[in-house]
Amino acid sequence: MFASMTIHEASLQLRFQLFHMYDEREAGNITDLVMEHITGWKKIDRVVNKTIPLSAQQEQMLKDFTKALLANKPLQYVLEEAWFYGMKLYVDENVLIPRPETEELVDWLIKEVQSSGFIVPGSQSGTKNLLDIGTGSGCIPLAIKKSFPALKVHSCDISEGALNVAKKNAAAQQLNIHFHHLDILSETARNQLPVFDSIISNPPYIPQKDKTTMAANVLQYEPHTALFVDDNDPLLFYKAIAGFAASHLTKKGMVYLEIHEGMADGVIDVFKQKGFTRIELKKDLQGRDRMIRVEKFND
């Protein structure tokens, strides 16, 4: 009878196969995450139990995961999970994989809200409204709602597939988000939304011409509608958001946006043209201009 592969043998085999695509450190990290997912054990437990054989089901999982990884499929899609702001979220190819820069954007908003007294923890009186534009996996609205349970959080997306993923994550996190299936570029559609105290978004902003500089696994698997914009109008989402904020943001309301590092001046000009003057540009941890905050101080 054929002997099953042990945990240690499976780890060595996967790491060796990944060496053809990744450096030693990344191959090791991916192997650890895959083996933890398959066995349910942390690394120390797998070391202690390294001679235990995999079950037939676990061996099939390893085979399927290896095949997908060798086909350039991102690890998060292979495992159908990604971590964001301390939450394990379900992800598939309907949504972007959450990025560290987006965590920085969310963290900026959360820390400013905490320090401003904008929301009184646990209070339902004078409930504030926030809109996230471009739901994706739901990572942004869920992180904010988890930090501020009293905040009424709305989120919209043009993709029904993305909204289904976000709703699944909201249910898993036991958080109530008001989801809207609409195209933010449609003035008629967005004008049906209520007025908000805050708006946050990581909209599509990568010009089509930049595809040549991007990793193959991103181009092959991540949803292009959530990534790319036309070269002739790369700021179209910011124009829509600025127009919406001009009419649907309360006085002293804030807009927090992730931006392309080469488009900061253009995004700022878009908001200035709509009458916004209190605009702050913020660098990410890599020192790149990747976020802006806009305050509405006039009606």
Side-chain angles (χ1 to χ4, degrees):
M1 185 175 177
F2 179 73
S4 297
M5 186 182 303
T6 66
I7 290 174
H8 181 61
E9 290 168 341
S11 297
L12 290 178
Q13 176 182 286
L14 178 58
R15 184 179 283 110
F16 177 76
Q17 290 176 292
L18 293 177
F19 280 158
H20 298 289
M21 299 178 62
Y22 302 98
D23 61 36
E24 184 175 352
R25 181 177 180 181
E26 190 167 6
N29 289 337
I30 292 173
T31 298
D32 284 339
L33 290 168
V34 169
M35 293 307 299
E36 180 178 330
H37 187 92
I38 290 173
T39 65
W41 284 340
K42 297 289 187 182
K43 188 171 184 178
I44 183 64
D45 299 308
R46 297 197 306 273
V47 170
V48 171
N49 298 285
K50 65 181 182 179
T51 59
I52 291 179
L54 297 180
S55 67
Q57 182 181 9
Q58 288 173 326
E59 282 204 34
Q60 186 59 49
M61 286 176 67
L62 177 63
K63 182 179 178 181
D64 294 342
F65 290 169
T66 302
K67 182 179 179 180
L69 288 167
L70 294 179
N72 256 332
K73 193 169 188 177
L75 175 65
Q76 293 89 339
Y77 290 153
V78 173
L79 302 183
E80 296 186 330
E81 63 183 40
W83 285 88
F84 186 88
Y85 222 76
M87 300 178 295
K88 185 166 78 171
L89 303 177
Y90 169 84
V91 293
D92 62 25
E93 291 168 54
N94 285 294
V95 301
L96 291 181
I97 297 167
R99 300 314 203 258
E101 296 87 354
T102 308
E103 270 193 322
E104 291 182 51
L105 177 69
V106 169
D107 192 59
W108 188 17
L109 179 148
I110 288 174
K111 286 180 176 175
E112 290 209 333
V113 169
Q114 287 172 334
S115 64
S116 68
F118 179 72
I119 298 170
V120 179
S123 172
Q124 296 296 331
S125 61
T127 301
K128 303 291 186 179
N129 285 356
L130 175 141
L131 174 66
D132 162 58
I133 297 172
T135 309
S137 64
C139 61
I140 291 176
L142 291 172
I144 294 170
K145 181 67 175 179
K146 193 168 186 178
S147 298
F148 306 111
L151 182 65
K152 191 172 184 180
V153 178
H154 295 251
S155 191
C156 65
D157 204 295
I158 193 173
S159 166
E160 194 168 349
L163 286 168
N164 288 336
V165 170
K167 289 174 182 177
K168 181 174 183 175
N169 284 322
Q173 296 293 325
Q174 298 183 313
L175 295 170
N176 183 28
I177 308 293
H178 301 271
F179 291 109
H180 304 269
H181 183 207
L182 62 83
D183 180 3
I184 198 66
L185 296 180
S186 165
E187 187 173 358
T188 301
R190 65 180 183 251
N191 282 343
Q192 296 174 16
L193 293 169
V195 172
F196 296 96
D197 301 289
S198 291
I199 297 170
I200 187 169
S201 183
N202 174 25
Y205 54 69
I206 302 173
Q208 293 281 347
K209 61 182 175 60
D210 285 2
K211 283 183 178 180
T212 55
T213 67
M214 299 182 69
N217 59 353
V218 173
L219 293 175
Q220 190 173 351
Y221 291 100
E222 299 206 51
H224 286 204
T225 54
L227 286 169
F228 298 108
V229 288
D230 193 288
D231 290 339
N232 295 321
D233 194 7
L235 300 176
L236 80 164
F237 280 93
Y238 297 100
K239 293 174 184 176
I241 294 169
F244 178 75
S247 60
H248 283 68
L249 188 66
T250 59
K251 187 176 181 180
K252 295 187 178 180
M254 297 286 193
V255 181
Y256 293 81
L257 299 170
E258 186 170 324
I259 63 173
H260 188 291
E261 61 183 300
M263 297 181 184
D265 290 342
V267 175
I268 290 171
D269 285 343
V270 164
F271 277 87
K272 284 183 175 179
Q273 288 170 20
K274 289 294 181 179
F276 295 92
T277 56
R278 296 186 181 181
I279 303 171
E280 180 180 348
L281 179 64
K282 186 176 176 66
K283 296 183 184 298
D284 65 11
L285 293 177
Q286 307 303 316
R288 302 171 299 181
D289 294 331
R290 292 301 308 277
M291 297 165 274
I292 68 165
R293 183 195 65 197
V294 182
E295 180 181 357
K296 185 177 183 181
F297 66 99
N298 55 356
D299 290 324

